[in-house]
Amino acid sequence: MKKFYIAKARRLRGTPYSSRIESQGLTAYTTYNHMLLPASFEGIEKDYFHLKEHVQVWDVAAQRQVQIIGKDSAKLVQLMTCRNLSKVEVGRCYYAPLIDEQGKMLNDPVILKLSGEKWWVSLADSDIGLYAKGLASGLRLQAEVSEPDVNILAIQGPKSFKLMEKVLGEKVSKLKFFGFDYFPFKGNKFLIAKSGWSKQNGYEIYVENREAGLNLYDELFSAGKEFNVKPGCPNLIERIESGLLSCGNDFDNGDNPYECGFDKYIDIKSDINFLGKKALIQISKEGVKRKLMAVKIDLDQIEMMEEKTLQNGKSFVGHLRSAVYSPHFKKVVGIAMIKKEYWNKKTTFELEIGNKKSKGSICDLPLV
Ligand code: THG
């Protein structure tokens, strides 16, 4: 694989932790929400094994918050998602597909209600802040939309529990999955959720004060020595094996939430008001003709820059959207949009790269 550098610029925003992670052995960045997002430290395989056994601190400041405040804040947030938010509670996180007026995917954020009229929409990679501003002014809503200086640190891995308890106190380990609360550290208060983009357990710390965040960052590393803490980042292998979807990779604005398997986050029956509801009612009547599934391919490496076509003889099976070599399955594993007639898991397919054809099979998400 040919390697290139990423040219830094103000436009490609750094995070409060950039200088820390760069001196701690960062080897690759990607971009996300016009910001730098670490992609590798010791190489994704080494990072993967470490994540599954120990604990990592991730700079995921690129998971930007769209903050919505005002009398119409709940109305505006509900307008953007097909998940029913009418009963949401302060202190819980909600994974929710955002869709457009055609019922097509825009983003898949985690939504937090901070108080009666204050919300954070913790974004994947697309410009939802601009969309929300457009809706608010076009519909004359009393809702102020902004991007506050919130820079998330994720603490992920099986030992995250022990590290967090040591640094933030016993109470933090009582958090339930997708719950959040505030915890003090050296005179500052941090919003901490039991969440994160891995299935290895962990927490996310929504840092609102940069200096306090850097102190906490350093403390996590000094207190974490006994747990073999390392800097890390969302890991391509782990997230594909775990079936965590990536906006812009696995799905984009051409796909609807049913095709992405988001059925349980869609409510077209209640009288809630969201854009694209009519389109989703129509789609649910017709049923989808394709959906995201997992695949395994007999290859020992792959590079993904664009989607790749999967064939069965001359017939089209689907599009491979993300893929990586998995040391666990000892094959390439991936996420693909598969045509309905091939959902039957016994079908195999071929993938042609260069002049080489490889065989693959289809399975359910997540891979087991
Ligand atoms: N945390 C926060 N913000 C984020 C992400 C995050 N923004 C970008 C991106 N990740 C959004 N995408 C996801 C995808 C999956 C999950 C969270 C965010 C996730 N899913 C669980 C699952 O699928 O099993 C749980 C879903 C549920 O119980 O509803 O965690 O990671 N702050």
Side-chain angles (χ1 to χ4, degrees):
M1 201 209 303
K2 204 164 172 181
K3 293 206 163 71
F4 300 92
Y5 292 103
I6 195 160
K8 285 195 185 172
R10 188 171 117 83
R11 185 164 49 70
L12 256 180
R13 303 174 291 173
T15 85
Y17 322 110
S18 297
S19 64
R20 293 280 199 288
I21 63 173
E22 286 167 22
S23 70
Q24 285 173 305
L26 174 96
T27 53
Y29 271 130
T30 183
T31 71
Y32 199 88
N33 287 321
H34 313 284
M35 203 168 211
L36 296 173
L37 173 66
S40 167
F41 284 83
E42 297 181 41
I44 57 170
E45 274 198 25
K46 271 200 171 171
D47 293 351
Y48 162 86
F49 285 115
H50 179 269
L51 169 63
K52 290 187 62 154
E53 196 174 335
H54 303 288
V55 53
Q56 297 183 345
V57 177
W58 295 1
D59 169 2
V60 281
Q63 295 172 355
R64 297 318 278 168
Q65 307 309 301
V66 172
Q67 176 172 282
I68 303 181
I69 295 181
K71 206 167 64 57
D72 294 328
S73 56
K75 188 173 171 184
L76 176 53
V77 179
Q78 182 64 79
L79 267 179
M80 298 190 287
T81 179
C82 51
R83 181 162 181 178
N84 187 340
L85 299 179
S86 62
K87 295 194 178 73
V88 309
E89 294 162 26
V90 174
R92 291 215 48 83
C93 303
Y94 298 85
Y95 183 43
L98 304 189
I99 57 168
D100 65 14
E101 78 295 345
Q102 297 175 41
K104 298 284 182 76
M105 288 300 302
L106 289 174
N107 203 294
D108 66 332
V110 176
I111 297 178
L112 291 76
K113 182 180 179 179
L114 300 184
S115 63
E117 296 183 358
K118 180 175 179 184
W119 299 70
W120 280 353
V121 179
S122 187
L123 290 186
D125 187 22
S126 71
D127 297 312
I128 298 303
L130 301 178
Y131 180 59
K133 275 178 191 285
L135 290 175
S137 72
L139 297 169
R140 299 179 197 283
L141 299 178
Q142 281 195 33
E144 186 199 304
V145 181
S146 64
E147 188 195 278
D149 190 31
V150 174
N151 298 286
I152 300 182
L153 282 175
I155 318 302
Q156 301 286 298
K159 297 180 187 167
S160 57
F161 199 70
K162 286 185 188 152
L163 175 56
M164 290 295 282
E165 194 168 45
K166 183 173 171 187
V167 175
L168 288 134
E170 211 183 299
K171 243 185 77 195
V172 77
S173 58
K174 304 249 159 32
L175 272 179
K176 298 238 164 60
F177 184 65
F178 264 44
F180 75 80
D181 207 343
Y182 295 87
F183 298 88
F185 174 76
K186 291 191 178 160
N188 279 280
K189 211 173 60 167
F190 293 90
L191 190 167
I192 300 179
K194 187 159 191 185
S195 57
W197 213 54
S198 88
K199 286 281 169 199
Q200 306 309 314
N201 288 321
Y203 300 83
E204 291 186 303
I205 308 172
Y206 290 70
V207 174
E208 290 176 83
N209 176 314
R210 287 183 171 230
E211 200 186 320
L214 286 170
N215 286 333
L216 176 56
Y217 185 95
D218 293 337
E219 180 61 25
L220 287 164
F221 279 91
S222 53
K225 279 198 189 104
E226 63 169 305
F227 309 119
N228 190 13
V229 66
K230 286 190 180 190
C233 49
N235 185 277
L236 183 61
I237 308 169
E238 197 280 337
R239 78 95 182 158
I240 290 180
E241 286 181 1
S242 300
L244 291 167
L245 299 184
S246 172
C247 173
N249 288 317
D250 304 324
F251 63 82
D252 61 27
N253 194 222
D255 309 314
N256 70 55
Y258 291 106
E259 293 170 330
C260 300
F262 289 142
D263 305 54
K264 66 174 171 179
Y265 307 116
I266 303 173
D267 183 352
I268 48 172
K269 302 233 163 75
S270 307
D271 66 352
I272 52 167
N273 188 21
F274 61 86
L275 290 157
K277 191 172 183 180
K278 265 199 191 134
L280 288 193
I281 291 170
Q282 187 60 28
I283 294 165
S284 86
K285 259 193 221 147
E286 289 166 7
V288 295
K289 294 167 192 72
R290 48 180 210 155
K291 70 175 180 191
L292 288 178
M293 295 191 75
V295 293
K296 292 180 194 160
I297 306 166
D298 298 330
L299 275 174
D300 56 12
Q301 62 168 71
I302 194 161
E303 196 177 315
M304 290 296 293
M305 285 286 283
E306 63 285 301
E307 60 180 12
K308 297 185 196 294
T309 301
L310 308 175
Q311 301 264 140
N312 186 314
K314 288 228 159 35
S315 319
F316 172 78
V317 172
H319 277 130
L320 183 62
R321 299 269 174 92
S322 294
V324 72
Y325 178 76
S326 156
H328 176 74
F329 292 100
K330 302 200 165 40
K331 298 170 180 264
V332 161
V333 295
I335 294 170
M337 188 60 89
I338 302 289
K339 224 173 124 180
K340 188 168 184 180
E341 56 186 289
Y342 295 99
W343 290 354
N344 171 350
K345 278 157 267 157
K346 278 171 234 129
T347 346
T348 57
F349 59 78
E350 301 105 45
L351 166 66
E352 190 173 337
I353 302 175
N355 292 322
K356 201 182 142 207
K357 274 192 185 161
S358 308
K359 276 219 169 313
S361 57
I362 298 166
C363 15
D364 280 326
L365 268 169
L367 282 160
V368 276

